[in-house]
Amino acid sequence: MSAKEENTLPMGMFMDLERSGPIPLYFQVSQRIEKAILSGELPAGSRLENEVALGQRLGLSRPTVRRAIQEIVDKGLLVRRRGIGTQVVHGQVTRKVELTSLYDDLTSTHKAPSTHLLTLESQAADAKTAERLGIEEGTPTLHLRRVRLADDVPVAVMENWLPEEFIGIEPEDLVAHGLYQVLRSRGVTMRVARQHIGARKSTNEESALLEIEKNSALLTMDRTAFDNSGRAVEFGQHCYRPDLYSFEVTLVEK
Amino acid sequence: MSAKEENTLPMGMFMDLERSGPIPLYFQVSQRIEKAILSGELPAGSRLENEVALGQRLGLSRPTVRRAIQEIVDKGLLVRRRGIGTQVVHGQVTRKVELTSLYDDLTSTHKAPSTHLLTLESQAADAKTAERLGIEEGTPTLHLRRVRLADDVPVAVMENWLPEEFIGIEPEDLVAHGLYQVLRSRGVTMRVARQHIGARKSTNEESALLEIEKNSALLTMDRTAFDNSGRAVEFGQHCYRPDLYSFEVTLVEK
DNA sequence: GACCTGATATTGTCATGACAATTGGCCAAA
DNA sequence: TTTGGCCAATTGTCATGACAATATCAGGTC
């Protein structure tokens, strides 16, 4: 398999496309191709079958195939070149490491997540919180602070401020389900998060909570998250043990 | 201006679309709308004119307008909802902070970047470098290490390994132009970078190079970057002073 | 007031069709 | 051997057209 020859994926891979179900065709095709990449069937450096041929083979329009491929390009797994075709990006994508996501509260690790709730209260928004949530200073917010653990080992101290409407959230729910699942169950559809990643030394309190030496290096992340109306639904300040946590970000040139 | 009413952008904003130039129409429209958002003309929470009307007004097809809007949605500045329309995400986007990019060698700050080259040599790839660059262990690479400064203040220590073909790069070019510009001038089109962001304590050497206290917290970033054939063109290990540098990442739900 | 139905508004998906831009290979001329 | 031109391959852009899914609103009924 080389970059010169196209890889023609076996039809068996696409035989069961659900043509009238709820899942868009482009999404299904995209999933199949991505699976072939991750499994090694489409090896690094190899060339994918061209859009026109693939569309003909699958009985789909070229824009639909194009959209499917673009989804994978946007993930950084494929690159496209006019006149050449579409190639698989080199480098193994390890399944072990999850990409940083909108819902990154340590539920996606392969370890059992749990929560130790430190604080759950109403709090009047100070200037910074007000600015971040787009509300008036002094407006009530839900303030929560928790240690997040994986397999009973503390990984992060996470502090959040949520808009007033979430003030009724129960501590049991937070402990049982995690913040983002609770928000989801309240109908929140998160769409965008702006994250600011840095580092600093741990405070004494953090060192104790995270079971690390005093004045250790901490990985930090501040964020504001927005829902599908574009409203801010979360302001967070998190710090993580760098020996147990890191951010994985894939950047793709448009 | 509220979410309920559509914002009809003045035609003047689109009067000078270059209809037969090299720049795609969707890109031009996208730029104009983005500019309106950043300038506040399209305020946070407001609703953009619908795709159909905008297409009619601009004399463009709906897919073209759609593509333009999608570009901005992908940047996290707009959110779309079926039946409702497209809204501007809340929260000021500060121009002061640049988003983490493929070419993040501190040239995008508002300070004068400069380089203090520590090492520029050929080096046989060890196991890790070989794996990251997709080459055989022992293959020659170009190894470089530099302190990167902004307004003569050291911000980062950046270490990189590049494939064999770049072994002729001259130190003067690196100092004058920075790594990524040099790569670009050699015809490298970078498309994808996989980055791993963490934190740790500084070594004694790093503390001296970065002019910080011993055992300070450092923000770290390891990365592999790939070109438009999907080949690895760079493996890097960088560390930054967290008081002077951080990563800004916007996550957008598909 | 709560619930249901129907209409409208808007985005989401998909197809067909056409043309343009870039890349690489091949061949001919200098 | 090198350079330039031509052609084929493939992605990139754009248009037209149609239908579906979701959200909101208005009106009617209980």
Side-chain angles (χ1 to χ4, degrees):
Chain A
M1 285 302 145
S2 91
K4 292 255 172 71
E5 302 144 48
E6 281 190 350
N7 281 269
T8 308
L9 295 172
M11 272 308 292
M13 186 171 286
F14 302 105
M15 285 306 274
D16 57 338
L17 289 183
E18 177 72 65
R19 301 230 169 208
S20 4
I23 303 176
L25 285 167
Y26 74 84
F27 186 80
Q28 293 179 62
V29 173
S30 179
Q31 297 266 59
R32 305 303 165 82
I33 296 173
E34 187 176 340
K35 194 172 169 187
I37 294 169
L38 293 179
S39 72
E41 185 160 0
L42 266 182
S46 63
R47 212 159 53 97
L48 184 67
E49 186 174 354
N50 76 72
E51 299 169 359
V52 178
L54 194 53
Q56 275 166 4
R57 271 212 311 139
L58 302 189
L60 297 173
S61 73
R62 193 179 146 219
T64 301
V65 169
R66 227 179 130 61
R67 174 78 191 274
I69 294 171
Q70 188 62 40
E71 297 280 314
I72 311 172
V73 168
D74 289 342
K75 289 183 182 179
L77 297 175
L78 291 175
V79 287
R80 276 172 153 156
R81 261 198 299 180
R82 197 167 359 190
I84 308 272
T86 302
Q87 289 170 283
V88 181
V89 174
H90 286 247
Q92 287 188 337
V93 180
T94 68
R95 288 168 164 275
K96 219 185 306 193
V97 184
E98 297 286 341
L99 284 175
T100 297
S101 79
L102 271 174
Y103 311 104
D104 209 358
D105 60 353
L106 311 180
T107 55
S108 50
T109 65
H110 299 279
K111 302 176 182 179
S114 53
T115 292
H116 177 213
L117 200 52
L118 300 172
T119 302
L120 184 65
E121 67 187 0
S122 284
Q123 192 182 77
D126 63 12
K128 177 153 193 173
T129 303
E131 190 243 330
R132 288 299 200 84
L133 291 178
I135 56 179
E136 296 289 331
E137 206 171 324
T139 306
T141 63
L142 180 67
H143 172 234
L144 66 148
R145 192 157 175 261
R146 63 208 194 277
V147 180
R148 195 74 168 149
L149 305 97
D151 282 348
D152 296 315
V153 177
V155 176
V157 180
M158 303 168 113
E159 189 166 16
N160 295 79
W161 290 265
L162 305 185
E164 195 170 1
E165 76 212 63
F166 300 114
I167 282 176
I169 289 183
E170 302 286 356
E172 304 85 62
D173 286 335
L174 281 174
V175 170
H177 303 294
L179 174 61
Y180 301 120
Q181 198 165 335
V182 172
L183 287 180
R184 221 182 266 129
S185 71
R186 281 176 158 250
V188 174
T189 302
M190 245 179 237
R191 280 283 178 79
V192 176
R194 295 190 186 131
Q195 300 188 161
H196 170 102
I197 300 168
R200 60 174 167 78
K201 280 193 174 178
S202 58
T203 63
N204 287 343
E205 189 207 14
E206 286 160 345
S207 304
L209 290 173
L210 293 172
E211 296 172 14
I212 52 178
E213 279 182 15
K214 287 187 184 168
N215 291 316
S216 288
L218 287 183
L219 180 63
T220 64
M221 190 267 280
D222 288 6
R223 91 188 205 140
T224 311
F226 302 88
D227 72 358
N228 64 358
S229 299
R231 278 182 321 126
V233 290
E234 181 215 353
F235 164 46
Q237 295 190 310
H238 304 170
C239 58
Y240 305 84
R241 280 178 57 165
D243 57 323
L244 294 180
Y245 193 77
S246 62
F247 293 96
E248 305 290 334
V249 179
T250 298
L251 302 176
V252 177
E253 184 82 12
K254 294 293 292 189
Chain B
M1 286 302 145
S2 93
K4 292 255 172 73
E5 302 143 48
E6 281 190 352
N7 280 269
T8 305
L9 296 172
M11 272 307 293
M13 188 172 286
F14 303 104
M15 285 305 273
D16 58 337
L17 291 183
E18 177 72 64
R19 303 230 166 206
S20 4
I23 303 176
L25 284 167
Y26 74 85
F27 187 78
Q28 294 178 64
V29 171
S30 179
Q31 298 265 59
R32 305 303 165 81
I33 297 172
E34 187 174 340
K35 193 171 169 188
I37 294 167
L38 294 178
S39 72
E41 184 159 0
L42 265 182
S46 63
R47 210 158 56 97
L48 184 67
E49 188 174 354
N50 75 71
E51 299 170 359
V52 177
L54 194 53
Q56 274 167 5
R57 267 208 317 139
L58 301 189
L60 298 172
S61 73
R62 193 180 147 216
T64 301
V65 170
R66 229 179 130 62
R67 174 79 191 273
I69 293 170
Q70 188 62 41
E71 298 279 312
I72 311 172
V73 168
D74 290 342
K75 289 183 181 179
L77 297 175
L78 291 176
V79 288
R80 275 172 154 157
R81 262 197 299 178
R82 198 166 0 190
I84 307 271
T86 302
Q87 288 169 283
V88 180
V89 174
H90 286 246
Q92 287 188 336
V93 180
T94 68
R95 289 167 162 276
K96 219 183 312 195
V97 185
E98 299 286 340
L99 285 175
T100 299
S101 79
L102 273 174
Y103 311 103
D104 210 358
D105 60 354
L106 310 181
T107 55
S108 48
T109 65
H110 300 281
K111 301 177 180 179
S114 55
T115 292
H116 176 213
L117 199 54
L118 300 173
T119 303
L120 183 67
E121 66 189 357
S122 286
Q123 189 182 79
D126 63 11
K128 177 155 195 179
T129 304
E131 190 244 332
R132 287 299 199 84
L133 292 177
I135 57 179
E136 296 290 331
E137 206 170 324
T139 306
T141 63
L142 180 66
H143 172 235
L144 65 149
R145 193 158 175 263
R146 62 209 194 278
V147 179
R148 195 72 167 148
L149 305 97
D151 282 349
D152 297 314
V153 178
V155 176
V157 181
M158 301 168 115
E159 187 164 19
N160 295 79
W161 291 265
L162 305 185
E164 196 169 0
E165 75 212 62
F166 300 114
I167 282 176
I169 287 182
E170 303 285 356
E172 304 85 63
D173 286 335
L174 281 175
V175 170
H177 303 295
L179 174 61
Y180 301 119
Q181 198 165 335
V182 172
L183 288 180
R184 220 183 265 130
S185 71
R186 281 176 158 250
V188 175
T189 302
M190 243 180 241
R191 281 285 179 78
V192 175
R194 295 189 185 132
Q195 300 188 162
H196 169 103
I197 301 168
R200 60 173 167 77
K201 280 193 174 179
S202 58
T203 63
N204 287 343
E205 190 209 13
E206 285 161 344
S207 305
L209 291 173
L210 293 172
E211 296 172 14
I212 52 178
E213 279 183 14
K214 286 187 182 166
N215 290 316
S216 289
L218 286 184
L219 179 64
T220 63
M221 192 266 282
D222 288 7
R223 91 188 205 141
T224 310
F226 303 87
D227 72 359
N228 64 358
S229 302
R231 277 185 319 126
V233 290
E234 178 214 355
F235 165 44
Q237 294 189 311
H238 305 169
C239 58
Y240 305 85
R241 279 177 57 167
D243 59 323
L244 294 179
Y245 194 77
S246 62
F247 293 95
E248 305 290 335
V249 179
T250 298
L251 301 175
V252 176
E253 183 83 12
K254 294 292 294 187

